[in-house]
Amino acid sequence: MDLDDDACYRAFSMRDARLDGKIFVGVKSTGVYCRPICPARTPLRKNVTFYPSAAAAQEAGFRPCLRCRPETSPDLGSWRGSSNTVARALAMIEDGALDGGDVEALAERLGVGGRQLRRLFKLHLGASPVAVAQTRRVLLAKQLLQETRLPMAEVALAAGFGSVRRFNETFQQLFGRPPAALRRSGAGEAAGEAGAVTVRLAYRPPYDWDGMLAFLGLRAIPGVEAVSGGVYRRSLSLGGETGVVSVSPGPRDTLQVAARFSRLTVLPQLIARVRRVFDLGADPVAIGAHLSKDAALAPMVAARPGLRAPGAWDGFELAVRAILGQQITVVAARNLAGRLTERFGARLPPGLEGEGLTHLFPSPEALSLADPASLSMPLARGRALVGMAAAAAATPDLFTPRGSLDDAVARLKALPGVGEWTAQYIALRQMREPDAFPHGDVGLMRALAGADGVRPTADELAARAEAWRPWRAYAALHLWASEGPPNPAAGRAPAARQEMPHGQDAA
């Protein structure tokens, strides 16, 4: 991001919320870095420096402001659109790629050299990959200190610190005070479910929560997911730990996340999943402005300004949904997934059952042992499902971002039962590729039919979509949504999509 310091200072002086999450302000006279909306008195122009990320400000020697709390700003780094490599790397870091590995291993997964990755991070974020990971750890710990009543040891472990000693040293060095002092100045714990750790995650408004909830509710697998009373709940296994999570609207442009896991070391990974599923890294204003340049898309964007691209909790689960959905409706595929879950999924411990949640989604290992002939589906589809499970069991990182979008699609299409549409769909929802676009989708072509009813061909649609880069995934969501009621996902799924020569995918 090219920062015009004078323009940034004017926006900072005006408390311009449009730049919240996009720039951070280092104040030389106090040694802190702030959000553009900080309520403190505006410092003199000569005393401020602007940074494109919290990590850049912290790496420059500034500490987080205790008033505006940078840890609660919208996290817009993951889908900036400025660098696909940086976006993929940020998603991996948030999933813990640097907790047990190094930058060279991360760069190898991305198909670039370590030096090139460091250069890209400096260019787009103003900080190194390691600094980004360390800043995320510190800011999560600070948020847990001020929003929960977790014991210090649990805060340290939940935020990814290797020890309480290291946790204490970091906070003493950064803030000049022990972590307990920050807790005493905190506002107390956010209200949440009994026995759950509750955190709030910020997003950039507007946000179409009803549309997101309707999309997820239509696809909620019985026993695994439940939507009621404006709250989304599901069971989940992370790092070998079983738990449940609920997500609901929170105050002041946040989502409230309540998690119940026996070990809180999975919390950073859980937060990363929530951000991915609920698309909290998107900037709907910037995306909408770009897509509105197309005369056909402009009214769709205006009708649904907060439309997000729903993510997936797990790549294997999403791939199974896609295979199950071939040639049947979304509801039928959902119910079939529920029957598979009841048969092959692990039962939740008694303390976690309730609110419609009873099982975990089946693991790849469990489904890989199934007899295709015993599954309630055509034999060819059953074999594809079991083959997919075997591939996922053998390669745990099968659905993690790696290389370019084209590389990811090609790799996915080599899997059993996966064609072009399913590969693009997995790239969009699981790999969080903002430019994924199933140009052969019948629903997309129908949404752009002319007044005479003539639809563009797949090649014509692909050519037209070039102008929508790098946000073609959002264009697809708007086109699908345009076929339904005003609520973008309320009760109507995208049209069936051609997937394999003799089948269709309606996932």
Side-chain angles (χ1 to χ4, degrees):
M1 180 179 179
D2 294 326
L3 299 177
D4 181 326
D5 284 1
D6 290 334
C8 288
Y9 185 73
R10 289 194 297 272
F12 181 44
S13 302
M14 297 170 60
R15 311 291 192 270
D16 192 341
R18 292 175 296 177
L19 291 182
D20 193 19
K22 292 185 175 182
I23 65 169
F24 294 84
V25 188
V27 184
K28 301 173 188 176
S29 55
T30 62
V32 305
Y33 69 90
C34 303
R35 301 161 65 182
I37 60 172
C38 186
R41 185 176 65 181
T42 303
L44 297 176
R45 171 68 183 84
K46 65 180 182 180
N47 288 332
V48 299
T49 306
F50 298 95
Y51 298 94
S53 68
Q58 197 155 306
E59 193 173 40
F62 294 96
R63 63 182 184 276
C65 175
L66 297 179
R67 293 193 65 181
C68 64
R69 300 184 59 200
E71 71 273 12
T72 62
S73 66
D75 185 359
L76 302 177
S78 56
W79 279 42
R80 288 175 182 268
S82 55
S83 168
N84 287 335
T85 299
V86 172
R88 295 184 187 102
L90 284 169
M92 293 180 185
I93 289 172
E94 198 167 24
D95 268 333
L98 292 183
D99 291 347
D102 57 20
V103 174
E104 296 300 326
L106 174 62
E108 183 178 356
R109 291 174 61 184
L110 292 163
V112 300
R115 183 176 179 181
Q116 171 71 352
L117 184 62
R118 292 184 183 91
R119 187 190 70 80
L120 288 173
F121 264 66
K122 282 291 186 181
L123 176 64
H124 294 284
L125 298 176
S128 67
V130 171
V132 169
Q134 291 174 340
T135 300
R136 286 184 181 275
R137 191 176 300 126
V138 168
L139 293 183
L140 175 57
K142 185 171 177 289
Q143 183 176 8
L144 293 176
L145 282 171
Q146 297 195 303
E147 292 186 4
T148 77
R149 289 299 169 188
L150 290 172
M152 291 295 169
E154 292 191 16
V155 170
L157 295 176
F161 287 89
S163 67
V164 177
R165 178 180 178 181
R166 178 60 181 157
F167 169 62
N168 288 330
E169 289 175 349
T170 298
F171 271 73
Q172 187 68 47
Q173 180 181 12
L174 187 61
F175 295 99
R177 67 192 75 181
L182 294 178
R183 165 156 286 175
R184 285 193 294 269
S185 65
E189 187 164 13
E193 297 180 5
V197 174
T198 303
V199 296
R200 291 170 180 158
L201 303 180
Y203 57 79
R204 187 165 180 80
Y207 193 105
D208 186 357
W209 173 253
D210 290 339
M212 175 64 76
L213 207 61
F215 184 98
L216 297 175
L218 183 64
R219 294 159 178 78
I221 300 174
V224 176
E225 302 171 284
V227 174
S228 63
V231 180
Y232 172 86
R233 297 180 177 86
R234 77 158 289 152
S235 60
L236 203 61
S237 177
L238 292 173
E241 297 295 321
T242 297
V244 296
V245 60
S246 70
V247 184
S248 58
R252 297 184 299 278
D253 300 328
T254 64
L255 293 185
Q256 186 158 288
V257 181
R260 285 190 288 159
F261 281 83
S262 58
R263 294 179 60 219
L264 291 179
T265 51
V266 303
L267 191 58
Q269 190 177 359
L270 174 63
I271 289 175
R273 299 284 180 97
V274 173
R275 291 190 191 278
R276 183 174 73 201
V277 171
F278 292 91
D279 196 14
L280 299 186
D283 183 347
V285 175
I287 295 170
H290 180 73
L291 296 181
S292 293
K293 295 176 183 177
D294 187 296
L297 287 179
M300 302 178 193
V301 173
R304 301 169 179 85
L307 183 66
R308 304 293 171 120
W313 291 97
D314 177 77
F316 172 67
E317 178 183 314
L318 183 65
V320 169
R321 288 174 182 261
I323 292 176
L324 293 179
Q326 291 165 5
Q327 292 189 319
I328 60 176
T329 66
V330 171
V331 173
R334 176 193 68 193
N335 293 337
L336 183 54
R339 291 195 291 273
L340 283 177
T341 296
E342 188 174 7
R343 180 177 172 186
F344 297 102
R347 188 94 188 181
L348 287 177
L352 295 178
E353 284 188 339
E355 303 285 355
L357 307 182
T358 58
H359 290 75
L360 291 170
F361 189 80
S363 66
E365 292 77 11
L367 280 182
S368 68
L369 300 176
D371 178 4
S374 70
L375 304 178
S376 302
M377 62 188 74
L379 184 59
R381 197 176 309 156
R383 288 172 175 164
L385 181 66
V386 173
M388 167 73 74
T395 311
D397 63 348
L398 184 63
F399 300 103
T400 58
R402 184 186 297 271
S404 68
L405 171 60
D406 291 340
D407 292 339
V409 169
R411 188 174 72 252
L412 291 169
K413 287 170 66 175
L415 298 173
V418 176
E420 176 70 21
W421 189 90
T422 299
Q424 293 282 349
Y425 189 67
I426 293 173
L428 191 161
R429 293 198 59 197
Q430 166 64 19
M431 299 180 176
R432 305 310 289 141
E433 290 285 352
D435 211 32
F437 189 73
H439 64 276
D441 183 90
V442 176
L444 298 181
M445 291 184 278
R446 182 170 55 240
L448 285 175
D452 55 2
V454 177
R455 307 172 185 172
T457 65
D459 289 342
E460 290 171 342
L461 178 59
R464 181 170 181 175
E466 285 298 307
W468 304 338
R469 290 182 183 272
W471 308 117
R472 294 187 304 174
Y474 289 90
L477 264 295
H478 278 291
L479 290 170
W480 283 330
S482 69
E483 294 194 283
N487 192 328
R492 182 169 180 175
R497 323 185 213 297
Q498 187 67 35
E499 173 60 17
M500 297 189 297
H502 302 291
Q504 289 184 323
D505 176 4

